[in-house]
Structures are given as structure tokens and as C-alpha cells.
Amino acid sequence: MIKADHKKWAEFIFDIYLKRLLKKSFYDFRIINDLPQIDKSKSLIVTPNHFSWWDGFFVYWFNKKILNKKLFVMMLEEQLKRYWFFQKLGCYSIDLNDSKKMITSLKYTMELIPNSDNMVTIYPQGEIQYYEQRPINLRDGIDFLAKKSSVDFQILPIAFKIHYTNEKLPIVYARFGKLLSSKDVAGNPKIFKEEFISNLDLLNYECVTASFKSIL
């Protein structure tokens, strides 16, 4: 597998590039609910929906503007080999077609979890699924980590949606789900899946009704 290799110079370059790209491509980037109270003594795994090419950029920007943790993003190995620069921003690989490599990536993730400064990003859908797709298919990575990790960590579902309005450019909306404990998820994996799906459904409604905080 390919491990993350953070470089300050890469982050500096990417911050400038991404800010310009987002402003050029979107009218606004809006958070529509409050971030749950995160325990700073515990590490955090965020689990966004995976619906577009933009997804990793949205997570990076959200972390930069709100949490400012050391970011790690699980990324398909074939994509990370192609876009090697993302390794310098904290991406590491997983190969869903090779069970041995997949276990290696999950073990590497478990090595990251004990550090409370880290924010690990895992896409539980495993592949791009349309926002409106039902049923939603989730892989077992979060369940595996919750059961196997020696430390308790926090799991935060995040839903993103690109929404068109009467503006020329679309708006990015983001919504936080309930903050879950890995111990609770280990005892009942259904609560994670239910919260992941519920958060998506609420975003679909609230992006046109709720107040918001802009982070663009």
C-alpha cells in the first residue's frame, strides 16, 4: 500500500490552488448545522458520502476552515498512483480488489487512530454512488475498525451536496450527522448506517430551508 507522506510545501501550494478553484466553480460553500462537540482527546474518523470528483476537495476545505487537524484520506490505490501529489496532502491507499492489501490499509488506519491530532477520512460507500441512489450500499470498514481498534474513537458522518439555484454557479452544502462512539458502533453497527443515511436525507431537505454558515 501507499502510506501518507505529508509535506508542508504541498499543502501551501494546494491551499492557494483549491481556494481559487472553489471560488471559480461555486457560488458558495455552506454549512447548514452546527458541528457536534468533538472530544479533542480522541481521534476522529469522518465518513462523507461519495458522489463526485469533488468529494476529497470538500473534506480538505472543511478541515482547513473548521477543524484544522492533521488530515488523512483513504483513497483507491489506482487513483493515488495516478494522482501522486495527494499523498503529500495525507492520502493513503486501499485496494478493494485485493483482500491482503485491504487488510494492510485497515491496519495502517488503526495505527493512525490513537493520535487525537489526526482526522481520518473514509468513504464507507467505497465507490461513487449518485446522491439520490437508494438503497445505499456501505462497506464494512467502519465496523471492522470499531471492533478491532484498541482505543475508543469518534465517528462523524458528513453529507455534501452540489445544489443549483437561480445563481449561475452551484452551491456546495454540507451537513454534520450525529457524533458516534466507536464503542457504540462496535456493539451495534446498524446505528452508523442509519445515521449516515439519515444525514443524507436531512441534507436533501434542509439545504433549501435551513440557515447556513459560509466557509468560502
Side-chain angles (χ1 to χ4, degrees), residues 1-3 74 77 92-110 144:
M1 65 160 291
I2 304 170
K3 295 184 178 182
M74 184 183 284
E77 186 167 302
Y92 64 100
S93 72
I94 187 167
D95 187 342
L96 299 177
N97 298 314
D98 186 320
S99 58
K100 290 184 178 180
K101 285 186 177 181
M102 188 162 55
I103 293 298
T104 299
S105 296
L106 290 172
K107 287 181 177 179
Y108 176 69
T109 304
M110 285 193 287
F144 177 90

Side-chain angles (χ1 to χ4, degrees), residues 22-198:
L22 290 174
K23 285 185 173 292
K24 179 181 178 181
S25 304
F26 299 101
Y27 178 74
D28 203 358
F29 193 135
R30 298 175 176 178
I31 307 293
I32 65 173
N33 66 335
D34 293 331
L35 179 70
Q37 188 64 44
I38 294 174
D39 186 343
K40 294 183 179 179
S41 67
K42 297 179 181 180
S43 61
L44 176 68
I45 291 183
V46 297
T47 59
N49 56 320
H50 195 17
F51 73 103
S52 77
W53 173 85
W54 286 99
D55 300 341
F57 293 170
F58 294 161
V59 169
Y60 184 95
W61 191 253
F62 146 75
N63 180 55
K64 178 68 62 174
K65 289 294 182 177
I66 297 180
L67 290 179
N68 200 28
K69 284 180 168 285
K70 188 172 185 178
L71 178 64
F72 292 84
V73 180
M74 184 183 284
M75 184 174 177
L76 291 176
E77 186 167 302
E78 60 187 53
Q79 293 294 315
L80 188 52
K81 286 181 178 178
R82 183 179 179 186
Y83 302 106
W84 59 268
F85 181 81
F86 291 133
Q87 180 190 11
K88 310 303 179 184
L89 300 173
C91 290
Y92 64 100
S93 72
I94 187 167
D95 187 342
L96 299 177
N97 298 314
D98 186 320
S99 58
K100 290 184 178 180
K101 285 186 177 181
M102 188 162 55
I103 293 298
T104 299
S105 296
L106 290 172
K107 287 181 177 179
Y108 176 69
T109 304
M110 285 193 287
E111 294 174 7
L112 301 175
I113 288 174
N115 189 336
S116 60
D117 292 331
N118 293 341
M119 185 182 95
V120 179
T121 301
I122 296 176
Y123 294 94
Q125 290 163 294
E127 60 185 2
I128 289 180
Q129 297 179 24
Y130 294 116
Y131 185 86
E132 297 81 6
Q133 178 176 320
R134 297 295 185 275
I136 293 175
N137 300 314
L138 301 183
R139 295 182 178 267
D140 298 327
I142 295 298
D143 300 344
F144 177 90
L145 293 171
K147 291 176 181 178
K148 297 296 184 179
S149 176
S150 60
V151 299
D152 185 26
F153 59 90
Q154 302 164 103
I155 303 168
L156 179 64
I158 304 178
F160 294 104
K161 183 177 183 179
I162 297 173
H163 183 68
Y164 285 86
T165 63
N166 59 345
E167 302 294 341
K168 180 180 179 180
L169 297 175
I171 298 172
V172 183
Y173 286 98
R175 189 185 193 281
F176 306 116
K178 294 178 182 177
L179 189 65
L180 304 174
S181 163
S182 62
K183 290 182 179 179
D184 292 338
V185 172
N188 181 12
K190 288 184 178 179
I191 64 173
F192 169 70
K193 182 174 182 178
E194 290 171 354
E195 183 57 31
F196 183 91
I197 295 173
S198 173

